[in-house]
Amino acid sequence: MSDGPRNVGKVSTTAATVRRRAWTVGAVTLSLFCTIMTVGLAGISGTPAWNAGLGFVLNVAAAVALVWRHDKPWIVLAMSVAGPLFFATDATAALITLYAVGARAGGRRLVGAAAAVYLACAVSLTYDASRRRDFSVLTLGVKQIEGQPPPTWSLPWWLPLLVAAVLVAVVVGLSQLRRTKSDLDVAVRSRNEATAQSRRLHEDMLIQQERARIARDMHDTLAAGLSRISLLAGGLQVGSADGPEKISNTSALI
């Protein structure tokens, strides 16, 4: 009977581990894909090679560091914002790390992390807004028409800031939902454990009560039997002058 819950717990833990590893692989893959795409767009649009190259190296390191985003979130966050803050690269790794931070931290620490990631996103999207429209993520889908000059119209200065704010707000909101769900899961698990412990204590109490009842019954039965033996023995001693037959019967009763 006790192996059932233990086996269920092992299966649940294994499923959670597999799911977490799958999310990690997806996060690293997405970050690397976005970095490669951003570096390609930056190179085509005329961004200096040293700028795009340094941003690429920093972002690749940040993408690999996403494996430890749950164990060392603040170190990974610092690595992930370094590239987009200073070079023409994307902030995908920073947004993914912000989600991990928000799922565990709150208050001033979360505000500070969100502000750093917002600056990284704003700088990255500002770089993006300065490119040709057919090489910009903000205007994805715009293509150069054959025989026409490349599209170079400008975007409003506030658009990158607005998009960065929306991205950060969505990530923080999702992380808080995750944190709330985790807190609820912990509360439910604690309640179930308390209920199970209370049930075990109640069962133990019932068992102790039943044992006490049996002990009382045995004590009463034994006391009654000993009293009868004592009376018969006393009668035998008093009536020792009786005949052998009566003495034999009294001895048999004892």
Side-chain angles (χ1 to χ4, degrees):
M1 293 294 292
S2 61
D3 291 339
R6 189 180 298 110
N7 291 334
V8 172
K10 289 181 179 179
V11 172
S12 178
T13 302
T14 302
T17 301
V18 172
R19 184 166 59 251
R20 183 172 178 175
R21 289 178 179 176
W23 277 108
T24 297
V25 171
V28 173
T29 303
L30 176 63
S31 181
L32 290 174
F33 171 77
C34 292
T35 296
I36 294 172
M37 185 182 70
T38 303
V39 169
L41 293 175
I44 295 174
S45 62
T47 301
W50 64 269
N51 189 317
L54 288 176
F56 176 77
V57 172
L58 289 175
N59 262 24
V60 169
V64 175
L66 289 176
V67 175
W68 299 280
R69 68 191 185 280
H70 296 293
D71 301 323
K72 301 178 180 178
W74 299 105
I75 296 176
V76 178
L77 182 66
M79 294 177 61
S80 62
V81 300
L85 273 177
F86 303 105
F87 304 102
T89 188
D90 69 292
T92 304
L95 290 169
I96 295 173
T97 308
L98 177 61
Y99 178 82
V101 170
R104 285 166 171 73
R108 295 181 179 179
R109 294 190 298 172
L110 179 58
V111 171
V117 175
Y118 171 76
L119 288 177
C121 289
V123 172
S124 175
L125 292 173
T126 300
Y127 269 114
D128 183 83
S130 64
R131 302 185 187 116
R132 282 172 42 180
R133 298 283 60 84
D134 51 341
F135 296 147
S136 171
V137 176
L138 290 173
T139 54
L140 192 65
V142 175
K143 297 181 180 180
Q144 182 179 2
I145 301 176
E146 187 176 357
Q148 298 291 332
T152 56
W153 38 275
S154 299
L155 292 175
W157 64 269
W158 48 264
L159 184 60
L161 305 181
L162 177 62
V163 174
V166 171
L167 290 174
V168 171
V170 169
V171 171
V172 171
L174 292 175
S175 69
Q176 292 308 292
L177 287 176
R178 170 66 182 279
R179 185 181 180 188
T180 302
K181 184 179 180 300
S182 298
D183 292 342
L184 289 175
D185 291 341
V186 171
V188 170
R189 188 160 53 249
S190 299
R191 184 200 64 187
N192 293 338
E193 291 176 355
T195 301
Q197 183 178 7
S198 177
R199 187 181 297 111
R200 287 194 298 269
L201 291 175
H202 181 67
E203 292 174 354
D204 291 342
M205 184 179 65
L206 292 178
I207 292 174
Q208 293 298 329
Q209 291 177 349
E210 182 66 15
R211 288 177 177 175
R213 185 190 64 79
I214 294 174
R216 285 195 302 270
D217 292 344
M218 291 179 64
H219 176 270
D220 294 342
T221 302
L222 181 61
L226 291 175
S227 297
R228 291 183 62 192
I229 292 173
S230 178
L231 289 173
L232 291 172
L236 182 63
Q237 183 179 8
V238 172
S240 59
D242 295 338
E245 184 178 355
K246 187 174 182 180
I247 293 175
S248 176
N249 292 333
T250 302
S251 299
L253 290 174
I254 293 174

